[in-house]
Amino acid sequence: MKTQLLVIAAIASTVGAFSSSGEHCARRQFLQTASTAAASTVLFPIIASAEIVVPEQSKEYEFPSEWGLTYSYETDAARVRAHMVTATGLAKGSDRMEDFGKNLKKEMIDFVSYYRRFPQVAGKPSFSTLYTSINVLAGHYTSYGYKYPLPEKRRKRLYQEYAEIEKSLKRSR
């Protein structure tokens, strides 16, 4: 769908380059360019936002029993990502939310501290995206504490990054 829209926009914007010159052609070129620009600004944000669905915040979740690292990158990255997804979806007043946040922050710091030392891991797209997500969530905990849920805009960005991390981990990247 994106590709088709890009092709149509490119064709519409280049049609004026092959027509004869004149006042009517200049007006036509302006209208084509303006309509292409308007269509791209209206359609592309809708397409981008359709890719990710941000779930509602919930007070119900299963408190994890396994925290910490196994020292296997794929296992640890998937576990940290899963814990971060749970934390991102917690609503204000969730049971043991503060304990969850403290455990998660320790796990995130341990993960980054251990794996950033290895160039073969630190160069992976999954690691760099996970590192970015960890910084966002850890920064929220530092600024607002463990009892306050993430704002909607930050949650949306994190869920987009979580989807990218999952795709990268499936490809062993």
Side-chain angles (χ1 to χ4, degrees):
M1 179 79 180
K2 278 186 182 179
T3 309
Q4 293 170 344
L5 289 173
L6 288 173
V7 170
I8 291 170
I11 291 171
S13 64
T14 57
V15 166
F18 298 106
S19 62
S20 61
S21 62
E23 187 178 322
H24 295 294
C25 292
R27 188 178 315 143
R28 183 180 307 138
Q29 172 127 13
F30 171 77
L31 290 173
Q32 287 173 344
T33 305
S35 64
T36 302
S40 65
T41 58
V42 169
L43 291 177
F44 292 132
I46 292 170
I47 292 168
S49 66
E51 292 177 5
I52 189 75
V53 176
V54 178
E56 292 292 319
Q57 291 180 330
S58 173
K59 292 184 178 184
E60 298 176 11
Y61 71 100
E62 186 177 329
F63 194 86
S65 59
E66 294 183 0
W67 293 98
L69 302 179
T70 63
Y71 302 102
S72 165
Y73 174 73
E74 286 77 15
T75 305
D76 290 340
R79 179 183 292 174
V80 170
R81 180 198 163 276
H83 291 166
M84 290 175 70
V85 168
T86 303
T88 304
L90 292 179
K92 189 171 185 171
S94 297
D95 187 39
R96 299 180 69 186
M97 185 175 185
E98 192 169 1
D99 292 337
F100 190 93
K102 287 178 181 178
N103 287 341
L104 178 59
K105 189 166 182 182
K106 182 183 180 330
E107 186 178 61
M108 292 187 304
I109 290 169
D110 291 346
F111 178 84
V112 170
S113 298
Y114 181 74
Y115 286 108
R116 72 175 164 200
R117 294 183 279 170
F118 303 107
Q120 68 273 19
V121 172
K124 292 184 173 198
S126 61
F127 179 79
S128 61
T129 309
L130 188 55
Y131 196 168
T132 302
S133 301
I134 287 171
N135 282 334
V136 170
L137 195 54
H140 174 80
Y141 286 150
T142 301
S143 298
Y144 301 103
Y146 302 105
K147 295 181 181 180
Y148 297 97
L150 285 95
E152 191 66 27
K153 188 175 180 182
R154 192 170 296 146
R155 289 179 65 234
K156 182 176 180 179
R157 176 179 166 204
L158 282 171
Y159 280 120
Q160 288 172 341
E161 290 176 359
Y162 297 153
E164 289 178 32
I165 294 164
E166 186 177 23
K167 286 178 191 174
S168 295
L169 286 174
K170 284 181 182 176
R171 296 179 192 152
S172 297
R173 292 179 141 185

